[in-house]
């Protein structure tokens, strides 16, 4: 994860009603054809194709594939709040953090911390090594506070319902892994092209894809870049629950708020951390006041509003998932003999 797009949220272009409808269709099925989208929206296929290409070119939209977390569990996730030494540069520190492969996103924030960063490691031991090694070697760090994830409850990038329940099929075959690797590069690549690249038949690629998507093992969906999708305000919000409140019940209520795109159950001083995005700061405050604070069980909120956001492509996260799965941790299995014989490309 080394590719970084660093932009302020205020630089976002304005999206049209058609843009939002195209994005909504692709969130349901990232491989939906332009013809199907055009028919659904009542516009020309040419208009859909052109606008899609423009949205991708403007770094507003990407199509990414995600493996169900039960297949490639990453137990070393955490949010880290960082205070920079008064004589140090917050921007330079954020840039150094964003360049690290194990950090998924970095935000310069307002509040008691200067920076929020999300760390993605496979195990808690690796998380500790990363925090105690590369992170602490960054100059000008004054204080670090770690909020380890107990559970990633909801992630809008992957879609509601993906984390629970687990799919019936929780293994990727050798051929599945090859297919997913190609889709991690371009999730809309034609099946014929995938088949040619992995020396398999197009029929097999289609069959394996249908199996993976039907069982919930794989999801292909549209992801919007919060730095370029018309949203000018965002915040990471730490939640403290009242006595006797259920963290999962509160997390479920938070997940239902349309503007919240990420919810995690945490340890380390916050019961829940979620991310919320809005069109402007006024709307952000209104959303927190009217849709979040009234939720039963919430005792205290602490919002860290984004001043600058480093965004990383979701394709990089999908690739990280696949690499984790294929490092011999029990996820990939050998295909059976019937599937092994169906490997020749179609003519």
């Amino acid at each position: 994860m080394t590719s970084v797009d660093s932009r302020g949220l205020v630089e976002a272009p304005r999206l049209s009603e058609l843009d939002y409808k195209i994005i909504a269709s692709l969130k349901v099925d990232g491989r939906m054809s332009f013809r199907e989208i055009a028919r659904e929206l009542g516009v020309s296929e040419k208009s859909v194709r052109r606008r899609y290409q423009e949205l991708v070119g403007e770094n507003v939209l990407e199509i990414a594939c995600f493996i169900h977390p039960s297949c490639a569990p990453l137990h070393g996730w955490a949010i880290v709040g960082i205070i920079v030494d008064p004589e140090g540069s917050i921007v330079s520190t954020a840039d150094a953090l964003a360049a690290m492969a194990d950090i998924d996103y970095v935000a310069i924030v307002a509040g008691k911390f200067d920076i929020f960063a999300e760390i993605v490691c496979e195990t808690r031991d690796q998380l500790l090594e990363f925090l105690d090694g590369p992170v602490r070697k960054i100059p000008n760090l004054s204080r670090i506070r770690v909020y380890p994830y107990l559970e990633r409850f909801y992630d809008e990038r992957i879609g509601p319902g993906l984390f629970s329940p687990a799919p019936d099929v929780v293994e990727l075959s050798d051929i599945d892994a090859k297919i997913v690797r190609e889709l991690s590069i371009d999730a809309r690549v034609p099946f014929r092209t995938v088949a040619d690249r992995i020396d398999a038949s197009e029929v097999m690629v289609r069959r394996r894809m249908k199996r993976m998507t039907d069982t919930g093992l794989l999801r292909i969906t549209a992801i919007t870049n919060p730095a370029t999708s018309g949203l000018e305000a965002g915040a990471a919000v730490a939640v403290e629950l009242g006595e006797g409140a259920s963290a999962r019940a509160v997390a479920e209520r938070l997940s239902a708020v349309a503007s919240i795109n990420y919810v995690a159950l945490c340890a380390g001083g916050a019961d829940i951390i979620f991310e919320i995005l809005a069109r402007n700061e006024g709307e952000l405050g209104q959303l927190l006041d009217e849709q979040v604070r009234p939720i039963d069980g919430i005792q205290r909120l602490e919002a860290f509003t984004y001043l600058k956001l480093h965004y990383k492509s979701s394709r990089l996260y999908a690739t990280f998932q696949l690499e984790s799965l294929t490092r011999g941790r029990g996820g990939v299995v050998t295909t059976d003999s019937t599937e092994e014989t169906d490997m020749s490309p179609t003519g």
Side-chain angles (χ1 to χ4, degrees), residues 35-150:
R35 180 178 299 179
E36 290 176 303
I37 297 173
R39 188 185 304 118
E40 183 179 276
L41 301 184
V43 298
S44 70
E45 180 181 349
K46 183 178 180 181
S47 296
V48 173
R49 183 185 300 273
R50 182 182 68 248
R51 193 55 191 140
Y52 168 81
Q53 292 171 343
E54 290 171 348
L55 290 171
V56 171
E58 293 168 358
N59 196 30
V60 172
L61 176 70
E62 66 174 310
I63 308 298
C65 66
F66 295 95
I67 304 166
H68 194 285
S70 64
C71 298
L74 302 173
H75 300 292
W77 285 54
I79 283 283
V80 181
I82 296 171
I83 298 176
V84 178
D85 189 282
E87 297 181 359
S89 167
I90 296 175
V91 173
S92 296
T93 303
D95 289 344
L97 288 164
M100 293 182 166
D102 290 327
I103 292 185
D104 193 44
Y105 85 87
V106 177
I108 297 176
V109 298
K112 68 181 180 184
F113 296 114
D114 298 313
I115 297 170
F116 255 36
E118 184 179 60
I119 298 174
V120 180
C121 294
E122 287 186 45
T123 67
R124 288 290 172 86
D125 286 344
Q126 290 178 3
L127 173 63
L128 178 59
E129 291 176 6
F130 182 66
L131 289 170
D132 204 37
V135 172
R136 293 192 181 278
K137 290 179 181 178
I138 296 177
N140 303 315
L141 292 190
S142 176
R143 182 187 170 203
I144 299 175
R145 181 156 190 181
V146 183
Y147 301 91
Y149 288 176
L150 301 176

Side-chain angles (χ1 to χ4, degrees), residues 238-281:
V239 178
E240 182 180 329
L241 300 178
E243 185 176 352
S246 165
R248 292 187 61 83
V250 173
E252 188 171 352
R253 293 281 305 277
L254 289 169
S255 301
V257 177
S259 298
I260 291 176
N261 63 358
Y262 193 88
V263 180
L265 309 186
C266 297
D271 297 304
I272 297 172
I273 290 180
F274 67 85
E275 182 180 68
I276 185 168
L277 300 173
R279 288 175 295 182
N280 52 58
E281 291 185 357

Side-chain angles (χ1 to χ4, degrees), residues 203-260:
V203 171
M204 171 172 283
V205 172
R206 289 184 178 277
R207 185 172 71 243
R208 303 302 296 181
M209 273 297 298
K210 187 175 189 306
R211 168 186 173 271
M212 288 189 284
T213 54
D214 285 353
T215 59
L217 187 148
L218 187 73
R219 177 178 171 87
I220 297 178
T221 185
I223 307 300
T224 52
N225 181 345
T228 56
S229 58
L231 300 169
E232 299 181 358
V237 183
V239 178
E240 182 180 329
L241 300 178
E243 185 176 352
S246 165
R248 292 187 61 83
V250 173
E252 188 171 352
R253 293 281 305 277
L254 289 169
S255 301
V257 177
S259 298
I260 291 176

